[in-house]
Amino acid sequence: MALTSKISRYDRRWPALFLGEKARIAEGFQAELIHIHHVGSTAVPGLAAKPEIDVLIEVSEHRDESARNDFMHTLGYVRGSDLSEGHHFYRRDVGGVRTHKVHVCVSGHPQIERMLRFRDLLRRDPAIRQQYQDLKLQLEASNREGIGEYLAKKAPFIDALMRSN
């Protein structure tokens, strides 16, 4: 089973794609919006990644989720299952290919700090960045069960790294 998309070399257009999406999304969050961050592998210069722009939206609270879901739907997003309490997830596919993932977390949610810390660690440490890239490519090559398997097998590396840094 394939991943949501194939891992590719770093693309210098990814930061601009994030900025474009940030502008489109921001208007739908209005008063609850605290910050919109570019996270995930596409936010790390030089790192191979699935070409899916990861967006982390920090909000003061989850207000009127129905209106937010409707707004995100107008942008082509589908609401996925909550990843944890206070951590909402949206995905956008174009032509059957995943292009964007949006995480919406209430300020103070532990995933905010974790995503930003992991991104920043990969940005500043070339050796760790290379280890992570090698792992991702190996997992993609050996994957049989799809994205769930890929994420589960990446988790121990990420967890160990976060504990030690």
Side-chain angles (χ1 to χ4, degrees):
M1 179 179 280
L3 301 181
T4 51
S5 54
K6 186 171 175 28
I7 294 173
S8 61
R9 291 180 160 213
Y10 180 77
D11 187 329
R12 292 177 187 203
R13 295 175 297 175
W14 289 339
L17 292 171
F18 162 73
L19 291 173
E21 202 61 14
K22 176 181 178 179
R24 283 177 12 111
I25 289 172
E27 72 179 71
F29 287 82
Q30 300 175 4
E32 69 185 320
L33 179 64
I34 294 174
H35 199 81
I36 300 178
H37 306 274
H38 188 189
V39 295
S41 294
T42 61
V44 181
L47 180 62
K50 291 184 279 93
E52 304 170 6
I53 305 302
D54 278 287
V55 179
L56 170 61
I57 302 174
E58 183 178 355
V59 296
S60 58
E61 61 184 312
H62 289 300
R63 296 183 190 156
D64 198 351
E65 291 178 41
S66 178
R68 180 194 301 154
N69 292 343
D70 290 344
F71 170 77
M72 293 297 284
H73 184 73
T74 67
L75 300 180
Y77 285 91
V78 173
R79 171 90 181 254
S81 299
D82 289 355
L83 299 179
S84 65
E85 186 174 338
H87 183 174
H88 300 176
F89 179 74
Y90 296 85
R91 65 186 183 280
R92 187 171 90 194
D93 296 355
V94 175
V97 176
R98 178 78 31 91
T99 61
H100 294 77
K101 297 175 287 199
V102 174
H103 302 264
V104 183
C105 295
V106 173
S107 187
H109 193 287
Q111 275 303 107
I112 296 170
E113 190 267 341
R114 181 179 170 86
M115 286 184 201
L116 295 175
R117 200 161 57 97
F118 184 59
R119 178 203 64 194
D120 293 347
L121 181 59
L122 292 173
R123 283 178 172 175
R124 75 175 171 265
D125 191 319
I128 292 172
R129 184 170 54 246
Q130 186 64 52
Q131 290 171 5
Y132 185 56
Q133 178 172 292
D134 293 346
L135 173 64
K136 291 182 348 161
L137 292 169
Q138 183 270 319
L139 292 176
E140 178 184 51
S142 65
N143 187 279
R144 299 292 173 258
E145 302 296 322
I147 192 67
E149 173 190 329
Y150 173 80
L151 294 173
K153 288 185 175 181
K154 279 193 331 181
F157 175 86
I158 296 169
D159 291 344
L161 193 59
M162 298 307 287
R163 279 192 303 272
S164 66
N165 285 282

